[in-house]
Amino acid sequence: MTAFPATLGHEFSGVVVEAGEDVINKRTGRKYEAGEAVCSEEMIWCAQCKPCADGFPNHCERLQELGFSIDGAYSKYVKVDARYVWSLEGLRDLYGDEKMFELGSLVEPSSVAFNAVIERGGGIRAGENVVILGGGPIGAAACAVLKRSGASAVILSEPSQSRRDMALTMGATHAIDPTEVSAAEAVLDITNGVGARIILEATGLPSIVWPDVERIIWEGKALNTTVVLVARADDRIP
Ligand SMILES: [Zn+2]
């Protein structure tokens, strides 16, 4: 995953300073013009291996990662192949110059959350409940994505007060501290025993949260619960 020393910085936005002759801007279908506001994927996928061909570039067998295994964006310039670059110009009129770049730097973690709960997790039907374990950038973004997908209860389990507070502004309907209360009991209580359609594991501590996940599944009335793992962890789900 990492190959330090490498310059950090994998969630970023900026403007195109220079582009290669044959490089196409996906927004316009034409050559990039200097000054185009863009963000970039952090995963440098090869486009040739089986996972890449199957549409899972995040599982690329030759994956490199900006800010982890190759130099990232904590620098004045960063060089990225055009296929990883996406225009932010559609946000300029809506949010203005400064906010556009802030939002651009959030595209990467938000995309991880979207891919997890919608693409891989299959999304939800309006009115279903979801549980997010871990309120870091991915967990917080997942709260926002799922609330806007029509979730009824969006329950976040996160020990940090400031992260709980932020998630509540983004779409979480409930935020509990798992060091104070049982996450499983809280979920079953809040949902009147229904449980959840999707449980997102975004803590990186799967073996610690797993007993709660299991209880929500077994004791909840929901017939199908999808558990999506997004955090990288050395230990495995039991
Ligand atoms: Zn690949």
Side-chain angles (χ1 to χ4, degrees):
M1 171 183 167
T2 56
F4 293 138
T7 305
L8 296 174
H10 68 281
E11 299 162 341
F12 62 99
S13 57
V15 295
V16 171
V17 177
E18 214 179 292
E21 266 308 308
D22 303 326
V23 164
I24 297 293
N25 179 346
K26 291 187 279 285
R27 179 176 73 88
T28 60
R30 293 199 290 271
K31 192 176 171 337
Y32 265 111
E33 305 215 355
E36 177 93 6
V38 294
C39 63
S40 168
E41 298 172 36
E42 66 97 14
M43 292 190 164
I44 306 303
W45 38 277
C46 77
Q48 290 169 352
C49 70
K50 181 83 165 51
C52 278
D54 286 346
F56 302 108
N58 51 327
H59 295 282
C60 174
E61 290 168 359
R62 284 180 280 180
L63 190 66
Q64 296 288 338
E65 293 185 88
L66 278 167
F68 294 98
S69 64
I70 53 178
D71 286 336
Y74 275 112
S75 62
K76 192 167 179 193
Y77 303 107
V78 61
K79 186 172 165 234
V80 187
D81 282 350
R83 70 163 174 255
Y84 310 112
V85 174
W86 297 89
S87 176
L88 297 173
E89 291 296 334
L91 301 177
R92 196 185 288 275
D93 286 349
L94 285 169
Y95 296 101
D97 288 0
E98 199 178 324
K99 265 269 182 298
M100 169 183 67
F101 287 114
E102 286 177 14
L103 292 169
S105 67
L106 292 171
V107 167
E108 196 275 334
S110 304
S111 300
V112 172
F114 185 91
N115 184 59
V117 296
I118 304 296
E119 295 289 334
R120 302 297 291 275
I124 56 164
R125 287 176 172 167
E128 289 179 321
N129 306 313
V130 297
V131 173
I132 311 297
L133 303 170
I138 310 295
C143 289
V145 167
L146 287 165
K147 186 62 195 166
R148 282 155 188 78
S149 296
S152 176
V154 178
I155 305 164
L156 173 73
S157 173
E158 161 61 49
S160 154
Q161 174 83 51
S162 59
R163 288 185 162 191
R164 289 200 303 274
D165 290 345
M166 173 167 285
L168 286 167
T169 70
M170 292 176 65
T173 57
H174 303 77
I176 61 122
D177 179 352
T179 65
E180 297 284 330
V181 298
S182 150
E185 260 164 48
V187 168
L188 292 167
D189 184 44
I190 291 165
T191 63
N192 290 318
V194 171
R197 178 68 187 85
I198 286 182
I199 300 174
L200 178 69
E201 161 22 39
T203 68
L205 302 166
S207 53
I208 291 184
V209 301
W210 191 250
D212 279 313
V213 171
E214 224 169 33
R215 248 194 94 186
I216 295 166
I217 293 172
W218 283 107
E219 294 183 30
K221 284 184 279 188
L223 291 182
N224 292 303
T225 299
T226 301
V227 181
V228 188
L229 282 80
V230 69
R232 296 164 180 178
D234 289 333
D235 58 348
R236 299 174 187 179
I237 286 285

